[in-house]
Every structure is written in structure tokens, then in C-alpha cells.
Amino acid sequence: MNIKKLNYNQKRKIMFASIAIILLLFTILGCVSIIYILYGEALLTSQKTQLKKAEEYAAIASSTPQNGVVFVGDSIFELYDLKKWFKDKDYINRGISSNKSEDVLNRLQTNVIDLKPSVVIIHVGTNDIGHNIPNEKYIANMDKIINQLQTQLPNCTIIVDSIYPTVTLNSYNSKNLTKVRENSTINNTNIALKYLCKTKKVIYLDTHNSLLLDDKLNKTYTIDGLHLSDSGYNIVTCEITNQLNYLVSKKK
């Protein structure tokens, strides 16, 4: 098309059509961005993705060293770079983002028990709260997890890590992540979890309180109000290291 030969009205129509197409593209990009901000975590860690990760863990169980320390739980543990924070240890990470207590229970045999660990550290619960799972259901699932571990791994030390606090930062993603994870609910759930651990005679690790500032997650310890920054993982590492060192000292 030779634009020079077009009359004014034809050029005007082409210009408006081009502007309309550009505005439509920007609108589509804007909608995609909003959807990602609101639901990005869920889209990236769908049930299908979680199951695939669990299957991948199960597939390498037979080649994974036994009698080790296994971390199992949700994104807090999946994002926990164990090689970075425990440089001289061969700890095993079996965290899967978006996992709830029921998901951990369902994959416990193939992802944890089949490894025959000497220590299991469990961190799960924030997604139960985020999905409005009743507290009674969450505690019942944790009871089943502990029972299964105690039955099939009677010599294994079980450490149940507390659910961490949250703080709402000034971003859309943070507000979305924390709006259904209120600290009052987390506190009540931790009280019930601590009591369960006492009755089951397993270790309850109160990392929650070490991450607090003014009854909320310390902002320097998080990247989005829920997940931890390096400073946050440093606190968690200190708590876990102290607990594991104490266990070693008791055996001497």
C-alpha cells in the first residue's frame, strides 16, 4: 500500500485503527499482569505441578542417601537453599510450594518415609490457613503425619516447625498473600499445634517468635510479607541448627 496516494480520511482511519490496536495490546498486557499479581502463585504452583514434583521426589527415593535429615513442607522449605545455609551438611529438601497439610500427608510415604531419615523437620500450615481449611482439619492431618512417621520410623526424631507470622507490605502481591493469613489465626493454630506436639511427644520448634517484630513478621525477614528473605532464613537456620546441635549433645 502506497500511503502517499491515500487521501486524508483514509490516512485518518489507518491512524485510528493503529491506535486502537496498540491500546488493545496494552489492555491485554495489563489484564495479564493483574491476573499474575493476583493469582501468580496459584498459577505457577497448581495441583498438577505439585503432584509432578512429588512424583519426581518419589522417583529418586531409592538413590537418595538414608539416615539423613529431611525437610518437608511448603514453599517456605522449597525456597530454603539448604546447601547455602548448611554448607557442610547433606540435608534433603522435600518442600513443595502451595502444599497444604493434606498434600504432605499424601506424599509422606514416597517423599519422606522411603528415605528412612533419622530426623524429619516439618513446616506446613500457612496454605491451610490461606485456603480456609478448618483448624481442626489441619491439626487432624498433622496428627496423622506424626502417627505415620512414628509408626514406620520409630527411631526417627520428628521436629514440627511453627507456622511463621506475616506482615502486609505496600504491594498488591503482599496484600493478596497476607489478607487471609492473619496473625491472630496463625497464633491460634500454633497454640493447637504446640499442644499436639506435646501430646505426641515430638519436638515443637517455635521459630515463629524469633521472626516477630511488634506481633508481626519483621519486614527485614521477608520479600513479600509471607516468604522469607535471606535475613529471615538466617534466623530459621539458627533455630534449626541450635535444635539439631542439642539433639546431638543429648546422645553423647
Side-chain angles (χ1 to χ4, degrees):
M1 180 185 294
N2 192 340
I3 297 179
K4 293 182 179 180
K5 294 182 179 180
L6 299 177
N7 59 39
Y8 173 77
N9 287 332
Q10 289 174 321
K11 291 179 179 178
R12 192 165 177 267
K13 288 180 180 179
I14 292 174
M15 181 183 70
F16 281 118
S18 300
I19 293 173
I21 291 172
I22 292 171
L23 289 175
L24 178 61
L25 289 174
F26 273 110
T27 301
I28 293 172
L29 287 173
C31 290
V32 170
S33 298
I34 291 172
I35 291 172
Y36 178 78
I37 289 171
L38 288 173
Y39 305 108
E41 181 187 25
L43 291 173
L44 292 174
T45 53
S46 65
Q47 190 67 28
K48 184 177 180 181
T49 302
Q50 294 178 62
L51 292 173
K52 183 179 179 181
K53 288 180 181 178
E55 290 171 356
E56 290 172 352
Y57 285 150
I60 61 174
S62 60
S63 59
T64 303
Q66 297 183 359
N67 201 41
V69 177
V70 175
F71 289 63
V72 63
D74 52 35
S75 58
I76 300 293
F77 269 8
E78 183 176 16
L79 297 172
Y80 197 176
D81 189 345
L82 301 184
K83 291 184 179 179
K84 172 182 177 180
W85 293 104
F86 301 95
K87 293 181 180 179
D88 58 337
K89 306 293 183 182
D90 293 322
Y91 293 161
I92 301 163
N93 195 327
R94 290 296 179 265
I96 295 181
S97 294
S98 290
N99 258 197
K100 301 183 291 297
S101 58
E102 185 175 8
D103 300 312
V104 171
L105 177 62
N106 290 337
R107 64 186 180 91
L108 193 65
Q109 181 68 51
T110 59
N111 285 192
V112 179
I113 294 174
D114 286 352
L115 306 181
K116 295 180 174 58
S118 60
V119 178
V120 174
I121 305 174
I122 308 164
H123 178 90
V124 68
T126 191
N127 292 319
D128 290 74
I129 294 173
H131 286 82
N132 294 311
I133 303 297
N135 193 47
E136 296 78 10
K137 177 65 174 175
Y138 166 71
I139 294 299
N141 286 337
M142 294 302 293
D143 187 26
K144 292 176 183 177
I145 289 170
I146 294 170
N147 278 341
Q148 193 170 343
L149 289 171
Q150 288 179 326
T151 300
Q152 298 193 50
L153 300 171
N155 297 319
C156 177
T157 299
I158 302 168
I159 300 174
V160 178
D161 195 13
S162 53
I163 302 171
Y164 300 161
T166 63
V167 62
T168 302
L169 306 179
N170 189 26
S171 71
Y172 217 70
N173 187 45
S174 179
K175 292 174 183 178
N176 182 58
L177 287 172
T178 60
K179 65 182 179 181
V180 290
R181 294 177 170 93
E182 296 181 357
N183 283 299
S184 58
T185 303
I186 292 171
N187 290 337
N188 290 334
T189 305
N190 276 333
I191 290 171
L193 185 60
K194 183 176 182 179
Y195 180 77
L196 173 68
C197 291
K198 182 179 180 180
T199 60
K200 306 299 291 187
K201 297 182 180 179
V202 300
I203 298 168
Y204 173 78
L205 188 62
D206 191 6
T207 310
H208 174 277
N209 282 347
S210 298
L211 296 168
L212 285 176
L213 178 64
D214 297 328
D215 298 323
K216 296 178 182 179
L217 177 60
N218 188 322
K219 291 182 180 181
T220 64
Y221 295 160
T222 181
I223 57 175
D224 55 16
L226 173 67
H227 299 98
L228 300 180
S229 63
D230 276 357
S231 297
Y233 278 118
N234 183 56
I235 297 296
V236 174
T237 301
C238 289
E239 292 290 334
I240 292 175
T241 299
N242 289 339
Q243 182 62 63
L244 293 177
N245 287 342
Y246 174 72
L247 292 173
V248 171
S249 67
K250 282 183 64 177
K251 293 180 180 179
K252 292 181 179 179

